[in-house]
Amino acid sequence: MSVKLGVPSKGRLMEKTFDWFGRHGITLGRAGSDREYAGRVDGIEGVELVLLSAGEIPRELAAGRIHLGVTGTDLIREKLAGWDQRVAELAPLGFGHADLILAVPMAWVDVDVLDDLDAAAAAFRARHGFRLRIATKYHRLVRDYLRDHGVADYQLVDSQGATEGTVKNETAEAIADITSTGETLRANHLKILSEEPILRSQATLYRSRRAEVSEADRKVLAELLERLGLD
C-alpha cells in the first residue's frame, strides 16, 4: 500500500502545487513526458502521486480512492453534498484564488444587490410568464445561496462552456460563475452584484475521510503532514 496524493494534472494549478510541496522539501513531478499522467514523488517514501483533473479530485477523495488531494474549494463544495463529512480540509495553499459571483447586465442600472435581483426576478416573471434564467455550472452552491437570501423567482440553466456569453446569446438573463479579475465579465457587459461572493475559493489540500489507511500508511501520513507543517 501507499498514500495516494491527487494533484491537478496540468496548467498553473499543477505547477503551483508542485512549487508548494517543493518548498516543504517534497518534489513532485511527471514520471514521463508532458502527455503522460504518471507521477513521481521524491523526498519522502510511501507516497504515490496521482495526476487527475481538478474536477475529478473531489470524487476520488469522497470515494476513498486517494488519501489526499489538491483542488479548489468551489469544486469540493459544489460536487460533494455534506462535503465536511466526506473530506477534511487540511490547508488553504494560497493560490488559485477566485470568487463565485452573481452578475447581471450592466444595463440593469437598478439592480445592484440581492434585494434588487429578487424584485427584478419577480417583475421579469410577471412580464414574460417564465422565471428569470441564471446560467451556471454551480447549481448546488447557487441554489443554496439564493434560498438563504430569499430570492425565489428564478431558474438555473446549466452552462458548461463560456458562461459569460449566455446573456449576450439570450440563453440566460444573469450568470453565476467563478472569476478572478472580472475582466471577462466587463468585456461581456456584465457587472457583479455588490454583495459578498457566494464563495471565495482557492486551491486547498484535503484529506479523505473514507480512504482505507493501513498502519504503514498512518506512519507515512504522519510524516508527510509533519513535513508540511500540518501535524
Side-chain angles (χ1 to χ4, degrees), residues 39-98:
R40 60 178 176 80
V41 180
D42 296 320
I44 188 170
E45 296 293 327
V47 179
E48 177 184 346
L49 181 61
V50 182
L51 296 172
L52 301 162
S53 73
E56 292 174 316
I57 289 173
R59 179 193 68 204
E60 297 302 294
L61 284 166
R65 288 188 286 265
I66 58 176
H67 298 84
L68 302 170
V70 174
T71 190
T73 318
D74 58 315
L75 295 173
I76 287 287
R77 299 195 184 192
E78 173 63 23
K79 291 177 177 291
L80 302 183
W83 67 271
D84 54 344
Q85 301 301 310
R86 304 168 79 179
V87 300
E89 182 178 308
L90 295 182
L93 303 187
F95 56 85
H97 292 278

Side-chain angles (χ1 to χ4, degrees), residues 15-171:
E15 295 168 3
K16 287 184 172 291
T17 301
F18 285 5
D19 290 344
W20 189 85
F21 277 86
R23 290 196 296 273
H24 293 85
I26 297 168
T27 302
L28 308 182
R30 290 186 181 276
S33 71
D34 287 346
R35 294 183 180 274
E36 294 183 54
Y37 288 93
R40 60 178 176 80
V41 180
D42 296 320
I44 188 170
E45 296 293 327
V47 179
E48 177 184 346
L49 181 61
V50 182
L51 296 172
L52 301 162
S53 73
E56 292 174 316
I57 289 173
R59 179 193 68 204
E60 297 302 294
L61 284 166
R65 288 188 286 265
I66 58 176
H67 298 84
L68 302 170
V70 174
T71 190
T73 318
D74 58 315
L75 295 173
I76 287 287
R77 299 195 184 192
E78 173 63 23
K79 291 177 177 291
L80 302 183
W83 67 271
D84 54 344
Q85 301 301 310
R86 304 168 79 179
V87 300
E89 182 178 308
L90 295 182
L93 303 187
F95 56 85
H97 292 278
D99 294 338
L100 177 57
I101 55 81
L102 279 163
V104 299
M106 288 182 180
W108 291 13
V109 294
D110 294 328
V111 179
D112 291 309
V113 295
L114 282 170
D115 284 346
D116 300 335
L117 179 64
D118 187 37
F124 182 92
R125 186 180 186 187
R127 183 180 307 118
H128 297 283
F130 62 92
R131 295 176 187 269
L132 181 145
R133 297 166 297 176
I134 302 174
T136 189
K137 306 176 183 70
Y138 297 91
H139 291 243
R140 186 194 309 279
L141 288 169
V142 175
R143 188 180 297 111
D144 290 350
Y145 179 80
L146 292 176
R147 181 197 62 224
D148 291 346
H149 288 82
V151 180
D153 278 321
Y154 71 92
Q155 58 180 313
L156 299 181
V157 294
D158 192 50
S159 172
Q160 295 300 325
T163 303
E164 299 91 345
T166 57
V167 174
K168 181 178 180 180
N169 294 334
E170 299 184 349
T171 57

Side-chain angles (χ1 to χ4, degrees), residues 32 46 113 128 173 204-205 219:
V113 295
H128 297 283
E173 286 70 50
T204 301
L205 177 64
K219 293 178 181 178

